[in-house]
């Protein structure tokens, strides 16, 4: 539910952050940690307050080290926007590119805000009525509607409804195919970039339409937890087909890292399973039937389609949005008397527990996108930055977790909090299986002489772990 920190998607659904997919225990722990951190920040601010008559107390919103970049600015250069605090640099042929600070960045600062070159909601997620803007993935349900659906309880009433930010009066639909957008701006942006090619019009419910056949084939191959979508690739093709300057967009997509033939095959295998070769060819034929374009003829060959598939599988960044999460964050920020605060916190904690029992772990509107700058962020088991989607849409915020000096590499973690505390061997097993590399960050180098056993093997050697201890470990994030 909480649209918190999310790293690049793993090939088998691995997502980092205190709340990868909304499990209630992690959510409750995440809220406790966040509230404690905010209280600590408030105490620090109180200590730093000027004497009466001095300047006003500063806002608690994160300080910005860079302005938001638009899709064109992000796609054509190494910086998200003019004055951005980071840029992509080539490191080596083995490691590829990395993201480096162009000036000193303080802990808590937003390094940049980036718009994806292209993005798409996951197909199963949309099929199961997780209603999101077809362009920016902003959740379309009100927080109360979201909670009612996840609980299966239409009578639920949320307190403080004014804290919900959803503006249903701004929603618009495509007049031809009826897909929904959060605003006129998103409808126009989609129309200008790719929707003219992908609009199904009156064929939206026609199972014989080539695009519907492609989507149905993908759903039958790639089940939840979803890590990618064939429609992300479709939007890439549609973007080029609609563009006046097609070569500009082809160059923009070529900025994303590529893999060797063997690595590409391993990525496809991870995404589609043991029968991946036959399934990949079926997808290619359906993809060609629906979207073939002469300017992109290489993308439709067996080798080119595999490369395109691997590009999306390697570089796709998970996106999660939730109107309920936004409401919870807004409620957390309310200045309430102690008794009301305790009652509201108890209500929210119980709501999380009830939703977890009813709906399990799939609580967010989810999709993926391609981000030029974010895709340059390398992994570290001791990251100095994290990604998040605090605006309830596809705008990615990269925030510093500690002070970062000019020239220093900015790294995020592809592992969640619990995974980062496991043994070096366990961490690298996850990274090899899901991201095809072995980590050489300072933490891994310092533990290079540790025994090559997984954390599970270590626990077996120490005896059975008590269920209560395991629960404490899992929620202490």
């Amino acid at each position: 539910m909480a649209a918190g920190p999310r790293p690049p998607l793993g090939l088998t659904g691995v997502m980092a952050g205190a709340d990868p997919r909304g499990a209630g225990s992690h959510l409750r722990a995440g809220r406790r940690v966040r509230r404690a951190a905010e209280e600590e920040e408030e105490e620090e601010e109180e200590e730093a307050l000027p004497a009466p008559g001095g300047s006003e107390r500063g806002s608690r919103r994160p300080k910005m080290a860079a302005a938001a970049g638009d899709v064109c600015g992000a796609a054509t250069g190494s910086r998200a926007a003019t004055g951005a605090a980071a840029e992509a640099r080539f490191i080596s042929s083995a490691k590829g590119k990395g993201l480096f600070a162009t000036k000193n960045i303080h802990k808590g600062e937003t390094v940049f805000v980036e718009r994806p070159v292209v993005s798409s909601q996951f197909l199963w997620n949309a099929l199961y009525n997780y209603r999101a803007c077809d362009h920016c993935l902003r959740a379309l349900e009100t927080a109360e509607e979201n909670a009612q659906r996840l609980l299966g309880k239409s009578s639920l009433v949320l307190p403080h409804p004014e804290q919900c930010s959803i503006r249903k009066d701004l929603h618009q639909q495509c007049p031809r195919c009826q897909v929904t957008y959060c605003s006129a701006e998103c409808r126009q942006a989609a129309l200008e970039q790719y929707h003219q090619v992908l609009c199904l019009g009156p064929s939206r419910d026609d199972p014989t339409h080539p695009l519907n056949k492609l989507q149905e084939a993908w759903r039958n191959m790639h089940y939840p937890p979803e890590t990618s979508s064939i429609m992300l690739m479709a939007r890439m093709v549609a973007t080029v087909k609609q563009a006046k300057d097609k070569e500009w967009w082809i160059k923009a997509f070529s900025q994303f890292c590529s893999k060797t033939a063997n690595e590409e095959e391993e990525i496809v295998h991870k995404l589609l399973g043991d029968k991946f070769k036959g399934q990949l060819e079926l997808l290619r034929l359906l993809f060609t039937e629906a979207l073939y374009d002469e300017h992109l003829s290489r993308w439709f060959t067996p080798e080119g389609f595999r490369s395109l598939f691997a590009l999306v599988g390697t570089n796709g960044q998970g996106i999660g949005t939730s109107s309920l999460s936004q409401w919870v964050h807004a409620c957390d920020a309310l200045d309430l008397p102690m008794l009301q605060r305790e009652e509201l916190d108890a209500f929210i904690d119980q709501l999380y527990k009830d939703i977890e029992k009813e709906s399990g772990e799939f609580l967010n509107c989810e999709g993926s996108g391609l981000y030029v700058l974010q895709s340059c962020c390398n992994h570290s088991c001791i990251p100095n930055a994290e990604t998040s989607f605090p605006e309830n849409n596809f705008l990615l915020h990269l925030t510093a977790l500690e002070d970062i000096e000019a020239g220093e590499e900015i790294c995020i973690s592809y592992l969640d909090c619990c995974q980062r505390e496991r043994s070096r061997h366990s961490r690298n097993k996850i990274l090899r299986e899901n991201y095809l590399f072995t980590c050489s960050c300072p933490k891994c180098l310092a533990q290079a002489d540790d025994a090559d056993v997984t954390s599970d093997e270590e626990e077996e050697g120490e005896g059975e772990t008590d269920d209560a201890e395991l629960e404490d470990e899992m929620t202490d994030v």
Side-chain angles (χ1 to χ4, degrees):
M1 179 163 29
R6 306 172 79 84
L9 285 159
L11 302 179
T12 55
V14 176
M15 288 175 144
D19 171 35
R21 291 188 176 272
S25 59
H26 295 280
L27 273 172
R28 294 191 293 278
R31 285 189 71 239
R32 288 196 297 269
V33 171
R34 187 174 68 249
R35 290 290 299 279
E38 288 174 352
E39 289 170 4
E40 184 177 333
E41 287 178 6
E42 286 181 349
E43 290 175 3
E44 291 175 354
E45 287 177 352
E46 291 288 356
E47 292 174 2
L49 283 177
S55 60
E56 287 186 340
R57 177 176 176 174
S59 167
R60 282 171 55 194
R61 294 182 63 188
K63 292 170 286 187
M64 292 291 292
D70 61 24
V71 66
C72 297
T76 55
S78 61
R79 298 192 182 191
T82 303
E87 65 180 9
R89 298 176 189 169
F90 180 77
I91 299 174
S92 66
S93 56
K95 198 170 182 180
K97 291 183 289 188
L99 196 69
F100 292 82
T102 56
K103 66 179 190 178
N104 292 337
I105 303 169
H106 297 294
K107 178 181 178 179
E109 283 190 20
T110 301
V111 183
F112 60 74
V113 180
E114 186 174 13
R115 185 184 301 264
V117 180
V118 67
S119 63
S120 179
Q121 186 178 7
F122 292 147
L123 291 179
W124 279 106
N125 190 259
L127 189 66
Y128 278 98
N129 295 319
Y130 291 79
R131 297 182 58 236
C133 173
D134 198 60
H135 183 63
C136 78
L137 273 75
R138 183 184 300 277
L140 297 175
E141 295 175 304
T142 65
E144 189 167 273
E145 289 171 338
N146 191 192
Q148 289 172 348
R149 177 174 58 79
L150 293 172
L151 273 177
K153 186 177 180 182
S154 60
S155 60
L156 176 73
V157 177
L158 294 184
H160 302 286
E162 74 284 353
Q163 298 304 313
C164 177
S165 61
I166 300 303
R167 292 282 307 277
K168 301 188 81 169
D169 57 307
L170 299 178
H171 295 179
Q172 293 199 4
Q173 289 186 322
C174 169
R176 297 190 66 242
C177 68
Q178 279 73 57
V179 297
T180 307
Y181 300 96
C182 67
S183 64
E185 290 78 12
C186 274
R187 183 170 73 88
Q188 189 62 29
L191 188 66
E192 292 177 356
Q193 185 179 342
Y194 55 80
H195 190 65
Q196 293 175 50
V197 169
L198 298 179
C199 182
L200 290 167
S203 301
R204 183 179 183 183
D205 298 318
D206 179 4
T208 66
H209 189 283
L211 274 174
N212 285 331
K213 287 163 60 179
L214 177 65
Q215 293 181 73
E216 181 63 19
W218 175 258
R219 279 192 291 264
N220 288 330
M221 296 177 192
H222 190 67
Y223 293 96
E226 297 170 275
T227 61
S228 190
S229 173
I230 195 72
M231 292 309 293
L232 193 64
M233 298 164 60
R235 288 189 176 182
M236 291 171 67
V237 172
T239 294
V240 176
K241 290 182 75 167
Q242 277 191 213
K244 292 180 180 178
D245 189 347
K246 300 181 187 300
E247 293 303 319
W248 186 93
W249 277 100
I250 293 173
K251 182 180 179 182
F253 289 126
S254 72
Q255 293 182 77
F256 294 95
C257 70
S258 57
K259 298 290 182 181
T260 65
N262 287 339
E263 287 175 327
E264 288 177 353
E265 191 161 296
E266 188 170 350
I267 292 166
V268 175
H269 187 180
K270 284 285 186 180
L271 286 171
L272 296 181
D274 291 336
K275 299 178 180 179
F276 71 95
K277 289 185 178 179
Q279 291 183 327
L280 185 66
E281 180 59 15
L282 173 60
L283 284 173
R284 186 184 72 83
L285 294 174
L286 292 171
F287 196 77
T288 301
E289 179 188 0
L291 295 161
Y292 183 79
D293 185 85
E294 190 65 36
H295 288 89
L296 297 169
S297 57
R298 185 187 172 278
W299 285 7
F300 294 90
T301 65
E303 296 79 13
F305 187 70
R306 184 188 64 198
S307 296
L308 184 64
F309 207 95
L311 182 153
V312 169
T314 304
N315 295 280
Q317 161 68 45
I319 302 169
T321 64
S322 166
S323 54
L324 184 57
S325 171
Q326 291 284 300
W327 174 82
V328 169
H329 281 283
C331 286
D332 282 348
L334 288 174
D335 187 10
L336 299 173
M338 183 177 293
L339 180 59
Q340 291 184 32
R341 166 53 60 195
E342 291 175 352
E343 290 175 347
L344 182 58
D345 283 352
F347 175 87
I348 292 172
D349 285 345
Q350 187 61 48
L351 180 64
Y352 283 160
K353 292 177 184 177
D354 294 342
I355 287 177
E356 183 183 12
K357 289 178 183 177
E358 182 67 26
S359 296
E361 60 182 8
F362 299 102
L363 306 182
N364 296 338
C365 297
E366 293 191 342
S368 63
L370 296 177
Y371 296 82
V372 173
L373 274 181
Q374 176 277 331
S375 70
C376 297
C377 285
N378 287 314
H379 163 83
S380 173
C381 296
I382 42 174
N384 56 9
E386 67 178 10
T387 60
S388 62
F389 298 88
E391 298 185 47
N392 193 33
N393 61 14
F394 62 18
L395 290 178
L396 180 149
H397 289 233
L398 186 73
T399 306
L401 294 173
E402 58 188 53
D403 289 346
I404 303 172
E405 295 183 359
E408 184 179 349
E409 185 175 6
I410 300 172
C411 295
I412 59 176
S413 179
Y414 300 175
L415 305 175
D416 66 32
C417 297
C418 294
Q419 290 169 336
R420 291 202 296 271
E421 295 307 312
R422 301 183 72 183
S423 70
R424 176 190 60 82
H425 187 68
S426 291
R427 298 196 305 273
N428 276 288
K429 183 173 184 289
I430 296 169
L431 293 169
R432 280 194 301 271
E433 289 179 352
N434 293 282
Y435 300 99
L436 312 183
F437 73 90
T438 300
C439 182
S440 58
C441 73
K443 182 175 182 178
C444 287
L445 291 177
Q447 297 174 346
D449 295 331
D450 290 359
D452 283 344
V453 294
T454 65
S455 296
D456 292 336
E457 290 169 340
E458 291 168 354
E459 289 169 5
E460 288 174 9
E462 295 169 1
E464 292 297 321
T465 303
D466 186 276
D467 286 344
E469 291 178 357
L470 185 60
E471 173 68 14
D472 288 342
E473 179 185 332
M474 290 300 291
T475 57
D476 185 20
V477 294

